[in-house]
Structure formats: structure tokens, C-alpha cells
Amino acid sequence: MYRSLPFDRTRAPKLLHQSWKNDTLPAKFQRWSATCQKANPDWEYVLWSDKDNLELITRFAPWFLKTYKDLKSEIYRADAIRNVYMHVFGGVYADLDTECIKSYDSLFAKYNISTAPYPKLNITLPPVSLKNDTIPPPPTRKAFLGRMGTDDNSEHSIPNAWMASTPGHPFWLLPLEKIRDNINNGGFPEVLTGPISLRAQISDYQVRYHGQQTSSHNLDEYYARGPWAALYPPRDLEELEILPFWMIYPYSWQRDGDAYRAHCLVGQELFNSTRCKEVLSVRAWGSWSITYWSHSWDASGSQHLEGLKEEKEKGKKKGKEGDDMKQEQDDINDGEEEEEGLEEEEEKMDAREKDDEKLNEIKEKNEHKQENDTNDENTHSDKQDKDKKKETTNQNEKPNEEAIPPTDNKPQNPVSNPSSSSPNLNINPNSPPTDNSQPIIKSKEQWQAEAKEDFAFRMRVKEKQAELQKQQEEREKIEKEGEWREEFGEVFGDEEKEENEKSEGEGGDEEGEGQGLGQKKVEVVKGVDRYDNGNGNGIGNEGKDGDGDGDGDKSNDGKPTGGEVLSEAT
């Protein structure tokens, strides 16, 4: 950037320019950039960053600085700055999705432009001696652009993805002035700074400065009045070459169909640069470059897009990870909300449980107090009954004597008045002591005896409750059996009421002789009676039907003539 400008403007410097937002290229561009450096090993490679571009404009094109800063985004600035590379330094500019196939030295030589390292452009070359006094061609400044496809009328037919030039060519001033004059009109990058704008300037250049009615020096005259007049004073001839499609852009994203697009357009599932070059026959054509058109900008010109399939998949993976993280965060938030809700519910349940515990405690206290009151009343009532029985016994033993209260100082009641020798028989043990009474004093044996009596009473109550419960269960069982018999008795038969054996014969009320067919019941299967049949003579016992035909429990002394037939379970 800070080197001196070259004196010789008819040779192309061996400079290869590329641009990215910083000094580190993405992996998808590194291998293609490496192919260009490998195909041109003695060329100087320069990677311009956004920061470098701003310094370059400030140093060599201050008249364009305000316009440069006012552009919408870096993609607009990247389009504009490549014109400055070509005018100030010369060499070759190539987009990062361009693969170099062979050295550019042979390309320049094809159009009679020699190449040299940049420092040697300040050395004046000796005149060329030609045989037979042939007049050498005049020194010429040349700019190169490539055509994409075969349709000259397409507005995308001359891309700005590849440029080449000798230093100081005046053509590169025209696109910059067009950007400056139309910056307030808006438009996509293609229209304002990209290939559409570039093609319009080429048409204007060819008509105005190289038409039949103009002189070849008219552009230099215009340049001499422009902002770069002091940078490169006009000298020598100048030309602009539009190279055929097969040299620089063998693949056209407009012209070539889906069969080529599948392998040659970055981002396609089947994209493969090797296969693309095979189907296009780039080596047979003798192409110097091929561009895979990653189109690293969007409609607003505000974003560099990914190109290679692996980068695309990486972006998808990253996006999926971002979605997963977002989903995880949403799940965490939902979980936190659920936990908060559960915590609130748990707090409410704990509060309800505490309230229930308090109520149970109060209820238990009241029940315990009620039981104690009942026990005390029962104990006091039993003691009063005992005292009454004792008094009645004494009266029966001494009917002629009046009941005289005891005169000794031994109290007859657990509560006594020390100031009086007569016992206080009407004191309630549960009532608080009055001025004339003392607290109840019981010995350890008395407390133990009362506790045993209370425990025995409780056990009797539990036994009585268990007995009543058992009786209730038996009654319910009997009722259920009765209902079952009423519902199913006709089908299965009532075994208690059914006779075990049937017989037919003659007999008396108690015993009689008779002949008949005896049937012995063998088995009952699924409610159907099965009998053994046999003919024989015998005495039928308990034949109670007077007409001789009756049902008997047994058929004794029978001599069966038929075999026993056992029932089969079905």
C-alpha cells in the first residue's frame, strides 16, 4: 500500500488481489485461494481486509471516501474497491470462489502484455529490436474483463468477479464516478456497484471513447480533468479487452442447465468441483479460471452467505444446535415455571397439612379431655355406689341404731376438711379446691390401680366392638347367601332340600317288598344329577307312598342287571 507507484504502465504486475472482511479466510475459500497461488507461484499474493480498504481509499482516492463510507454495507464497498486495486496497482483480482487452473502469465502474453514483479515496473525497458526493421507495436495500457455465457445482451453477461489490468488504466475511473453519482438512488449491489452497473459503463466506454466519431485520446482528456489526474498523467494508448466465456467463466449460472448446475453451483447437494471441470471440459477449452458462484451477498447486500456444502451443513448443524439450545432454554423455563407451580402447590399442601395437624391435635385434646372427664365421673360414681352399699349393709346389720357419722379424724372421702371431723361426701373430684377443701392426694398404688382399671375397661370396650363387628359381618354374609340362593337356586338345585336317591317300587308305610328300577345318584356335574341304572329285586326302605310308587333313600339287596354308568364331566 505504501510502495511507490510504477513508472511502466504497459506491463502487468505480478500481483494477485483478493478481499475479505479480515485477515483470516473461511475454510471454504482457503483451498480455492490456494489454487491461485499454486498456479502463479512467482506472483505476490495480497489479501485486503475491510480495514485495509478504508486506508487505501483514504490514501489514493480521498475524493471517493465519503461515497465509500455512505454505501449500505461491506458488499457494496467490496465491489467498489476492486476498481481501485486495478487502477492504482494493476495485476489480477479474483473472487474467493474462483479456482485458478493455469498461470495468468500466458493469458497476458496472448494479448501482447508482458508481466513482471511489481518492483521491476519502475525500470525502463530498452527498446525492442525487430528483424527486417519491423515496426514494433506501440505501448498500450490494457484492462481485461471476462464474458459469462454467449448472450451479449444479458445484463449479467460481464461479471466483476474477475478483473485484470496494467497500472493506471483510465477505464476504472468510470465505475467509481457512476457509483458516486447514483448512490442516493438506492438499488441492489448488482445494480449500483456490481455487474449490471459494470456492463453499462463498458457500453458507455465503447460508444463514447472508442466509437467511429471519437479519438482514442478522448478518455485521457476526460481523465486529465478528473480527480485522478495527478495520480497517473495520460500517456500511451489504452484498450479494454472482453475475454470469451471459455477463458475465465466456463460455467455460466445463467446459460448452463440443471445437469451442470448440480455439480458446478456452490450449495447444491451434488456440488463437486472436479466433476464440474470434467463435464465442462475446461482443460480441453484451455480455461485459465472457473468461478463457482457462491453469490456471497443477499438482497439487501448486508450479509456474506456460505458457499460450500460442508460449510452449509456446518451452518445447519450450528443452527440446529442453536435451536436445541433455545428449546432446552424453553424447557428449562417451562420446568422452572412448573417447579414454581409445584412449589406453590406443595406450600399450599403443607399449609393444609399443618392446619389439619392442628385440628387433629385440638380434636385429640378434646377427646382425651372428654375421656378423662368420663372416666373421672365413672370412678366417682362407682365410689359413691360402694359407699351407699356399705351404708346399707351397716344399717341392715344394726337396724335399731341410727347412722352416726364417724367421729374419728380418719377421712372417709379422698377430700376432707381438716377443720371438721365429719367427712365431705358431696365434693366433686373435678371441681377446683375451695377455701374449705384441699387438693386430692393419691398414693402411687392408687394411681396404678386406677390406671389398671381404666386399661381393663378400654380392653372390654374394644372386645365388645370386635364382637359386634364380627356379628355384623356374619349377618351380611348370611344375607348375601340368601340372596344368591334366591337368584341361582333354581338353576343349580338346592342340595340341602334335594333327596340323595330316587327309586320306584311297591311297599308299605315303613317296609315292603317290591320290584322296581333303582337309580343311584353318582355325581352332580354342573347342577345335573347323574344316576346308575339297574334292574333288580330288593326291599325298598322308607317307601312312604302308599300306592307302592315312591321315592326311597336307598335300594338295598338289589341285583342289578345293567352295568354302572359313570357320568363324564362336561
Side-chain angles (χ1 to χ4, degrees):
M1 183 188 300
Y2 298 102
R3 65 188 67 182
S4 61
L5 298 179
F7 176 79
D8 188 353
R9 283 168 269 174
T10 60
R11 288 185 295 171
K14 293 186 176 184
L15 288 177
L16 180 60
H17 305 270
Q18 289 189 314
S19 176
W20 184 243
K21 58 186 176 182
N22 52 43
D23 296 333
T24 304
L25 284 178
K28 68 176 183 176
F29 292 141
Q30 287 180 3
R31 63 170 183 167
W32 289 330
S33 177
T35 63
C36 291
Q37 297 178 54
K38 182 178 180 180
N40 302 277
D42 58 340
W43 285 50
E44 182 181 355
Y45 177 77
V46 182
L47 178 64
W48 298 87
S49 65
D50 293 344
K51 181 180 178 182
D52 296 333
N53 292 335
L54 182 61
E55 293 182 5
L56 180 63
I57 291 290
T58 303
R59 178 176 175 82
F60 291 104
W63 60 272
F64 190 71
L65 182 60
K66 183 179 184 304
T67 303
Y68 184 80
K69 290 182 177 180
D70 290 342
L71 291 171
K72 288 183 179 180
S73 67
E74 292 301 330
I75 191 61
Y76 291 87
R77 299 184 185 100
D79 281 342
I81 196 65
R82 62 192 67 178
N83 296 284
V84 180
Y85 302 154
M86 294 296 98
H87 182 69
V88 175
F89 300 109
V92 174
Y93 168 82
D95 274 356
L96 290 170
D97 52 5
T98 297
E99 180 180 352
C100 297
I101 299 173
K102 58 183 181 180
S103 174
Y104 291 126
D105 290 323
S106 60
L107 175 62
F108 284 102
K110 187 176 181 67
Y111 291 90
N112 298 318
I113 300 295
S114 61
T115 58
Y118 186 84
K120 293 185 177 182
L121 295 184
N122 289 320
I123 301 174
T124 303
L125 295 178
V128 179
S129 60
L130 299 177
K131 296 180 180 180
N132 302 325
D133 295 329
T134 304
I135 301 174
T140 305
R141 297 165 291 171
K142 279 195 175 182
F144 297 86
L145 291 167
R147 187 179 299 280
M148 183 183 71
T150 56
D151 184 5
D152 296 344
N153 295 321
S154 172
E155 60 184 2
H156 292 279
S157 61
I158 303 178
N160 64 343
W162 185 92
M163 300 174 176
S165 181
T166 58
H169 197 288
F171 169 78
W172 306 112
L173 173 66
L174 302 181
L176 295 176
E177 289 185 333
K178 188 68 172 180
I179 295 170
R180 180 192 62 186
D181 296 340
N182 292 276
I183 188 172
N184 295 326
N185 296 335
F188 295 147
E190 291 175 311
V191 176
L192 182 60
T193 60
I196 296 177
S197 176
L198 178 62
R199 181 178 176 277
Q201 294 307 305
I202 292 171
S203 298
D204 185 63
Y205 165 84
Q206 291 173 341
V207 172
R208 292 178 59 185
Y209 304 114
H210 288 273
Q212 295 180 356
Q213 304 297 327
T214 59
S215 171
S216 62
H217 295 286
N218 287 343
L219 181 57
D220 283 334
E221 293 176 0
Y222 178 78
Y223 181 86
R225 297 191 299 268
W228 265 339
L231 191 64
Y232 284 110
R235 56 185 296 184
D236 304 322
L237 299 177
E238 53 84 23
E239 291 179 353
L240 174 62
E241 291 285 350
I242 306 298
L243 304 177
F245 75 91
W246 55 268
M247 287 187 174
I248 304 300
Y249 301 114
Y251 169 66
S252 170
W253 58 268
Q254 269 192 326
R255 180 197 63 183
D256 297 325
D258 293 338
Y260 298 96
R261 182 188 302 270
H263 301 291
C264 299
L265 186 63
V266 170
Q268 299 295 308
E269 294 296 328
L270 298 178
F271 170 75
N272 186 293
S273 60
T274 302
R275 181 60 179 161
C276 176
K277 288 179 287 187
E278 290 176 355
V279 298
L280 293 173
S281 301
V282 294
R283 297 197 180 276
W285 280 100
S287 303
W288 274 268
S289 298
I290 181 171
T291 301
Y292 297 111
W293 305 114
S294 65
H295 293 292
S296 57
W297 49 271
D298 60 5
S300 62
S302 60
Q303 180 182 2
H304 290 280
L305 303 179
E306 297 299 329
L308 287 177
K309 179 181 176 182
E310 54 266 26
E311 291 294 328
K312 182 179 179 182
E313 292 177 352
K314 184 178 180 181
K316 287 182 179 179
K317 183 178 179 181
K318 186 176 181 180
K320 184 178 180 182
E321 291 176 354
D323 294 339
D324 293 341
M325 291 178 64
K326 183 179 180 181
Q327 184 64 35
E328 289 178 0
Q329 186 63 36
D330 293 339
D331 293 340
I332 291 171
N333 295 334
D334 294 339
E336 291 178 353
E337 292 177 359
E338 292 178 0
E339 290 179 358
E340 292 177 357
L342 292 173
E343 289 178 357
E344 293 179 358
E345 292 295 331
E346 290 178 356
E347 291 177 357
K348 292 180 181 180
M349 291 178 65
D350 293 339
R352 286 195 293 269
E353 289 178 357
K354 290 180 180 179
D355 294 338
D356 293 340
E357 290 177 358
K358 290 181 180 179
L359 292 174
N360 292 332
E361 289 178 0
I362 294 172
K363 185 176 180 180
E364 289 177 358
K365 288 181 180 179
N366 292 335
E367 290 177 355
H368 184 68
K369 182 177 180 181
Q370 186 176 1
E371 289 177 358
N372 291 337
D373 293 343
T374 303
N375 293 334
D376 293 340
E377 289 177 359
N378 293 334
T379 303
H380 181 67
S381 177
D382 293 340
K383 289 182 179 180
Q384 286 182 345
D385 292 340
K386 289 180 181 180
D387 293 339
K388 287 180 180 181
K389 289 180 181 179
K390 187 175 181 180
E391 290 177 359
T392 303
T393 303
N394 294 332
Q395 289 178 0
N396 293 331
E397 292 176 355
K398 299 178 180 180
N400 296 327
E401 295 180 1
E402 295 181 356
I404 301 174
T407 57
D408 56 355
N409 294 329
K410 187 176 180 179
Q412 300 295 324
N413 195 287
V415 180
S416 62
N417 187 358
S419 61
S420 174
S421 60
S422 61
N424 187 358
L425 300 178
N426 297 322
I427 294 177
N428 187 356
N430 295 323
S431 63
T434 60
D435 296 338
N436 297 327
S437 64
Q438 293 293 333
I440 299 173
I441 300 174
K442 296 183 181 180
S443 64
K444 180 178 180 181
E445 290 77 8
Q446 288 176 330
W447 286 112
Q448 291 177 350
E450 291 181 1
K452 289 181 180 180
E453 185 178 355
D454 181 65
F455 177 76
F457 174 76
R458 291 175 181 273
M459 293 300 296
R460 288 195 300 272
V461 171
K462 288 184 178 180
E463 291 175 357
K464 187 66 176 177
Q465 290 177 348
E467 184 179 355
L468 293 174
Q469 181 67 24
K470 185 175 181 181
Q471 292 177 359
Q472 180 66 24
E473 292 177 354
E474 290 179 354
R475 283 196 298 271
E476 291 178 354
K477 183 177 180 181
I478 293 171
E479 290 176 357
K480 289 182 180 179
E481 290 179 355
E483 294 176 356
W484 184 86
R485 288 178 181 279
E486 291 177 0
E487 184 174 357
F488 301 102
E490 296 179 358
V491 178
F492 295 98
D494 193 345
E495 295 182 359
E496 295 180 358
K497 296 179 180 181
E498 183 178 288
E499 299 289 342
N500 293 328
E501 199 170 274
K502 296 180 180 180
S503 63
E504 293 181 0
E506 297 178 355
D509 292 339
E510 297 297 333
E511 292 183 0
E513 294 181 357
Q515 281 183 333
L517 179 65
Q519 291 181 332
K520 180 181 180 181
K521 185 167 70 174
V522 176
E523 188 177 356
V524 178
V525 180
K526 292 189 176 180
V528 179
D529 297 338
R530 302 282 184 172
Y531 297 89
D532 289 338
N533 299 324
N535 295 322
N537 297 322
I539 301 174
N541 296 329
E542 300 180 3
K544 296 182 179 181
D545 294 336
D547 57 1
D549 294 331
D551 296 331
D553 291 338
K554 297 180 181 179
S555 179
N556 297 326
D557 298 334
K559 296 179 181 180
T561 60
E564 186 177 59
V565 179
L566 299 179
S567 63
E568 296 181 358
T570 58

